[in-house]
């Protein structure tokens, strides 16, 4: 009897000390846990999916790849891929890599790739290459965003016609009613000049509007366009989502937003949590890649 009691006691204490280390957890917009299988099934019905990311989180990038692979199976290959990390004027170089004309070195030498391309985005591009899927370079060339931040949107009007093809059609509507932009204004501080604030917001807007236009130009009936972008570009249904909604409110779009949690069980954070269609919770103490 004594031995049985000791075993029961041991099991009890082990259960107290046992921890379930979770690397991620998805939730739906109602705050209910959702399996990746069920989420993929639901995502297959959307025209456009925005998969937000924290750029320096490897779990985030791995999930983008795995969800894309699962969607490919679910949609029988009817996918189009696109990403913030590639700029419009590098589409030709990207296409050459996808077709096999360029190798990895050729792409690296001719396109403006992010420093974490090899580890975080190349797997997605290689998947598109292997499956012969389009991969769209959606973002505005960074030089125009920089110019906007310094000189304002109006400065883009004097660009040559060829340069303007890499930017969303001008004029671009910029309003602080767009989700997230008011937050950007606050980041500048109360004492910042109004013109500098609006230039700062406009630099974000030109990225969002250009990515929105790029997606709209490349969507195809019956296919799902999955777009990879920094979380800020689609959080709270703002950014790219907002600009597409202004042009075509009938498209069915889903946003996957990203949040961090201190809770080891990855419960929904109590602060700064504004859910979208699907919400990815990651451990706050996950090692960052840079």
């Amino acid at each position: 009897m004594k031995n049985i009691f000791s075993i029961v006691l041991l099991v009890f204490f082990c259960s107290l000390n046992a921890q379930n280390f979770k690397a991620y957890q998805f939730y739906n917009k109602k705050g209910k846990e959702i399996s990746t299988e069920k989420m993929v099934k639901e995502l297959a019905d959307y025209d456009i999916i925005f998969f937000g990311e924290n750029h320096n989180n490897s779990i985030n990038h791995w999930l983008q790849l795995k969800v894309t692979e699962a969607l490919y199976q679910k949609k029988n290959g009817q996918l189009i891929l696109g990403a913030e990390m590639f700029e419009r004027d590098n589409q030709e170089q990207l296409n050459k890599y996808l077709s096999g004309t360029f190798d990895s070195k050729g792409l690296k030498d001719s396109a403006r790739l992010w420093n974490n391309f090899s580890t975080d985005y190349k797997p997605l591009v290689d998947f598109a290459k292997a499956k012969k899927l389009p991969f769209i370079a959606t973002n505005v060339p960074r030089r125009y965003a920089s110019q906007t931040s310094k000189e304002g949107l109006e400065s883009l009007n004097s660009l040559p016609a060829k340069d303007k093809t890499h930017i969303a059609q001008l004029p671009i509507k910029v309003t602080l009613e767009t989700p997230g932009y008011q937050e950007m204004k606050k980041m500048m501080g109360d004492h910042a000049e109004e013109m500098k604030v609006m230039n700062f917001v406009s630099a974000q807007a030109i990225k969002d509007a250009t990515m929105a236009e790029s997606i709209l130009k490349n969507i195809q009936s019956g296919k799902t366009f999955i777009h990879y972008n920094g979380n800020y570009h689609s959080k709270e249904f703002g950014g790219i989502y907002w600009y597409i909604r202004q042009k075509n409110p009938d498209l069915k779009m889903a946003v996957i937003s990203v949040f961090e949690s201190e809770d080891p069980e990855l419960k929904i954070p109590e602060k700064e949590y504004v859910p979208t269609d699907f919400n990815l919770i990651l451990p706050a103490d996950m090692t960052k890649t840079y």
Side-chain angles (χ1 to χ4, degrees):
M1 191 70 183
K2 184 178 180 181
N3 288 338
I4 294 175
F5 177 76
S6 298
I7 292 171
V8 170
L9 201 60
L10 180 62
V11 170
F12 174 73
F13 280 113
C14 285
S15 65
L16 286 179
N17 293 325
Q19 295 187 45
N20 182 19
F21 298 113
K22 297 175 73 173
Y24 69 91
Q25 178 62 57
F26 283 105
Y27 290 86
N28 64 19
K29 59 185 173 185
K30 295 180 179 179
K32 302 294 185 181
E33 290 188 7
I34 184 170
S35 68
T36 51
E37 182 180 10
K38 188 173 189 301
M39 183 179 74
V40 167
K41 184 179 179 180
E42 293 185 20
L43 286 173
D45 291 331
Y46 284 87
D47 300 311
I48 302 170
I49 300 164
F50 300 98
F51 202 137
E53 68 172 48
N54 292 340
H55 298 315
N56 59 0
N57 191 294
S58 57
I59 297 294
N60 206 157
H61 293 299
W62 177 76
L63 285 168
Q64 287 175 329
L65 178 62
K66 303 313 289 184
V67 168
T68 301
E69 291 173 345
L71 267 172
Y72 178 84
Q73 295 296 327
K74 192 71 179 175
K75 294 278 297 184
N76 295 316
Q78 299 301 297
L79 283 186
I80 301 170
L81 279 54
E84 169 199 358
M85 301 79 199
F86 300 94
E87 299 166 20
R88 269 194 186 181
D89 59 344
N90 283 163
Q91 185 68 62
E92 183 180 353
Q93 295 92 320
L94 183 56
N95 287 345
K96 286 182 176 180
Y97 179 76
L98 292 170
S99 67
T101 305
F102 274 176
D103 58 11
S104 294
K105 185 178 186 305
L107 180 63
K108 182 180 179 182
D109 291 344
S110 62
R112 294 181 299 277
L113 302 179
W114 286 26
N115 291 335
N116 60 329
F117 168 76
S118 295
T119 54
D120 299 336
Y121 307 112
K122 188 173 183 292
L124 290 167
V125 176
D126 284 346
F127 178 76
K129 181 180 180 180
K131 302 300 183 182
K132 301 188 184 322
L133 299 175
F135 200 115
I136 309 302
T138 62
N139 208 353
V140 69
R142 63 196 72 177
R143 59 186 178 275
Y144 301 131
S146 177
Q147 178 178 328
T148 301
S149 181
K150 295 173 184 175
E151 304 172 31
L153 265 177
E154 296 75 14
S155 69
L156 302 177
N157 292 328
S158 58
L159 290 173
K162 183 179 179 181
D163 290 15
K164 289 180 181 178
T165 63
H166 303 309
I167 305 171
Q169 185 176 358
L170 299 172
I172 295 169
K173 180 181 179 180
V174 181
T175 170
L176 293 176
E177 294 177 8
T178 306
Y181 287 5
Q182 191 68 243
E183 184 181 342
M184 290 188 70
K185 181 182 179 182
K186 291 179 182 178
M187 287 168 56
M188 294 287 287
D190 297 331
H191 303 293
E193 295 179 19
E194 187 66 24
M195 182 177 293
K196 288 184 177 179
V197 169
M198 288 313 298
N199 286 355
F200 179 63
V201 173
S202 295
Q204 178 81 358
I206 194 175
K207 295 177 184 178
D208 290 334
T210 300
M211 287 188 274
E213 184 184 84
S214 299
I215 293 169
L216 287 171
K217 283 185 174 182
N218 288 280
I219 56 174
Q220 298 178 33
S221 179
K223 294 187 177 183
T224 295
F225 193 123
I226 181 166
H227 190 263
Y228 317 103
N229 53 260
N231 196 52
Y232 205 91
H233 287 289
S234 53
K235 63 179 282 190
E236 299 177 29
F237 302 110
I240 314 168
Y241 181 103
W242 187 88
Y243 276 99
I244 289 182
R245 185 62 75 211
Q246 307 310 302
K247 298 286 186 180
N248 192 338
D250 296 326
L251 287 170
K252 188 176 182 182
M253 298 187 287
V255 176
I256 302 173
S257 294
V258 186
F259 303 90
E260 292 189 343
S261 175
E262 302 283 351
D263 190 309
E265 292 295 322
L266 297 185
K267 301 299 183 185
I268 292 174
E270 293 182 3
K271 297 180 180 179
E272 300 180 0
Y273 181 77
V274 181
T276 48
D277 301 287
F278 302 97
N279 305 278
L280 171 59
I281 312 298
L282 299 169
D285 61 354
M286 177 68 69
T287 302
K288 304 301 188 289
T289 55
Y290 64 88

